[in-house]
């Protein structure tokens, strides 16, 4: 039985990843500090479902706690590590940047140090489409330069890509960095648009629509994302011989390190997303048109060719279908 360490296991994406790995016969160690950035009860419910499996072990602590990951790696010697624990969110990084420094930068450093001592077969770490920052060339390809992050959140995530690259190079650790594009679905995050919009529409309160609705996002359904992650687990990067990297591959010429976009490769207008919620709920949103928010970008759109060439897979759930599944979950969970 292979052992996977999943950090951020009580989070939205982490709980789905753990479920999938348990279903696939892994023993799963889930590490999460149950941070109070959003409703802790939701995180506890996600963890409680995982704890029904005897192959799941929950560890409640912070990734940056000195010695914690080193001890956990020594004890469990994970074969695979999926690092999702992070302080997420673009807007909150203006209010509380220190939490991003601690969770994202120091937390990832502690993880890399533990991996250096007890090397797993493959480590997969969550970065973000926000790493593309001010790039305007769409769709975003992993081989494009990504040097102009617009928020401290994105800056910390891009830094973890660089930190991981140096450890992959120096210590021969195979590392895949994911750039996720606006992930949504049941059990989703209360700080994200779909949750906030659905809640407001069902309660007949106004929704804030930024940049007057002129926003595009490459919305990625959570189960598609997890399927892509599952396939990538068994596709570790290999340090290229003679530094020769195939065209279109973000593989480093000097390290077993690769960046992979996971997105639908379809830029959807925010207004179309809102209309999908209106269609499922049968209600009309009260739109409060707002200017662009600091740190945010008007559009994201993934080039998903690399994911396709590595795994043969492209996420494909269309927004109306994914939104319907979220609204169904929301109504059931909150007994609306
Ligand atoms: N959801 C998206 O659209 C999206 C997009 C791009 C990148 N990401 C990245 O994917 C990962 C998972 O995101 P998510 O949407 O599931 O977010 P989430 O907030 O639901 O999950 C993150 C989990 O990490 C935990 N955590 C936070 N800081 C921690 C710390 N210092 N130590 C231990 N645990 C800690 C939280 O309690 C939470 O349960 C994050 O790294 C995020 O930055 C998400």
């Amino acid at each position: 039985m292979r052992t996977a360490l999943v950090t951020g296991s009580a989070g939205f994406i982490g709980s789905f990843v753990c479920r999938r790995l348990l279903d696939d016969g892994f023993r799963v160690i889930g590490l999460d500090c149950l941070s109070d950035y959003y409703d802790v009860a939701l995180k506890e419910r996600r963890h409680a479902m995982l704890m029904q499996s005897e192959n799941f072990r929950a560890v409640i602590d912070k990734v940056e706690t000195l010695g914690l990951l080193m001890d956990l790696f020594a004890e469990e010697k994970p074969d695979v590590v999926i690092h999702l624990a992070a302080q997420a969110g673009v807007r909150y990084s203006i209010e509380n940047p220190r939490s991003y420094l601690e969770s994202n930068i120091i937390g990832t450093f502690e993880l890399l140090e533990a991996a250096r001592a007890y090397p797993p077969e493959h480590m997969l770490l969550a970065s973000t489409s926000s790493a593309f920052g001010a790039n305007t060339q769409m769709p975003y390809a992993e081989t494009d330069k990504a040097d102009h992050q617009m928020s401290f959140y994105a800056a910390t995530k891009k830094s973890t890509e660089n930190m991981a690259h140096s450890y992959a190079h120096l210590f021969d650790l195979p590392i895949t960095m994911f750039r996720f594009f606006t992930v949504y679905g049941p059990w989703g995050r209360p700080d994200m648009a779909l949750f906030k919009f659905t809640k407001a529409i069902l309660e007949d309160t106004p929704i804030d629509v930024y940049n007057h609705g002129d926003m595009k996002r490459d919305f990625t359904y959570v189960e598609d994302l997890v399927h892509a992650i599952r396939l990538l687990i068994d596709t570790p990067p290999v340090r290229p011989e003679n530094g020769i990297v195939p065209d279109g591959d973000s593989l480093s010429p000097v390290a077993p390190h690769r960046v992979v976009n996971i997105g639908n490769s379809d830029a959807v207008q925010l207004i179309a997303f809102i209309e999908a919620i209106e269609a499922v709920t049968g209600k009309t949103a009260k739109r409060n048109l707002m200017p662009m928010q600091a740190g945010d970008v008007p559009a994201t759109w993934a080039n998903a060719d690399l994911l396709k060439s590595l795994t043969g897979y492209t996420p494909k759930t269309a927004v109306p279908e994914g939104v319907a599944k979220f609204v169904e979950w929301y109504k059931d969970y909150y007994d609306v």
Side-chain angles (χ1 to χ4, degrees), residues 8 10-14 31-35 37-38 43 46 61-64 83-88 103 126-129 153 157 180-183 189 192:
F12 167 42
I13 297 169
L31 169 62
D32 200 297
C33 69
L34 306 179
S35 84
Y37 169 60
Y38 65 76
K43 297 182 181 183
R46 297 186 189 121
D61 208 328
K62 293 183 174 181
V63 278
E64 67 270 31
H83 179 45
L84 302 164
Q87 178 57 60
S103 293
S127 183
T128 170
S129 58
Y153 165 61
K157 285 288 182 176
F180 296 154
F181 286 70
T182 318
V183 188
R189 272 167 43 194
M192 289 184 71

Side-chain angles (χ1 to χ4, degrees), residues 221-238:
Y221 187 64
V222 65
E223 299 210 34
D224 290 355
L225 180 101
V226 170
H227 190 60
I229 291 176
R230 182 64 192 89
L231 294 170
L232 285 168
I233 287 174
D234 295 328
T235 317
V238 177

Side-chain angles (χ1 to χ4, degrees), residues 192-209 270-288 323 326-327 330-331 336:
M192 289 184 71
L194 179 56
F195 192 110
K196 289 202 274 192
F197 288 174
T198 301
K199 182 172 192 294
I201 291 171
L202 289 172
E203 292 172 359
D204 288 317
T205 55
I207 58 171
D208 288 341
V209 182
L270 186 60
I271 296 297
F273 195 66
I274 295 168
E275 285 168 358
I277 308 172
E278 290 176 329
V280 192
T281 55
K283 300 183 92 169
T284 304
K286 294 177 182 158
R287 296 167 166 79
N288 186 16
V323 164
F326 172 82
V327 174
Y330 182 95
K331 286 172 135 180
V336 178

